[in-house]
Amino acid sequence: MSTSMSMTKVKVNGAIHEVEAGCTVARLVELLEVSSARVAVERNGEVVPRRRWAEVALDEGDALEVVTFVGGG
């Protein structure tokens, strides 16, 4: 018996990515292998508060901007 995983296409920083259906913002950040300590995520023009990352599921066609903050002087 084969299991077929449903995939969803989203745009991240201008590039198309395929993720598992039901993928959350938190999981996306993991998949992108960025340190979540200094990251902000915008979904379809709205910032997603960090406290909601685990509950916000991505939908087909979502446009996300993932921004990493860099310190310096």
Side-chain angles (χ1 to χ4, degrees):
M1 176 175 171
S2 75
T3 57
S4 175
M5 186 177 302
S6 181
M7 301 299 283
T8 299
K9 289 183 182 177
V10 296
K11 187 181 277 189
V12 180
N13 296 348
I16 300 295
H17 290 262
E18 279 194 337
V19 296
E20 300 170 12
C23 181
T24 63
V25 171
R27 178 67 179 135
L28 176 68
V29 170
E30 286 177 16
L31 292 170
L32 295 173
E33 298 180 343
V34 294
S35 171
S36 64
R38 296 180 154 233
V39 171
V41 179
E42 181 183 275
R43 176 181 175 231
N44 301 325
E46 294 186 21
V47 173
V48 179
R50 183 179 306 274
R51 68 182 180 278
R52 295 200 56 227
W53 283 8
E55 64 190 58
V56 175
L58 305 179
D59 294 320
E60 183 78 23
D62 277 351
L64 299 115
E65 293 295 325
V66 179
V67 180
T68 305
F69 297 100
V70 179

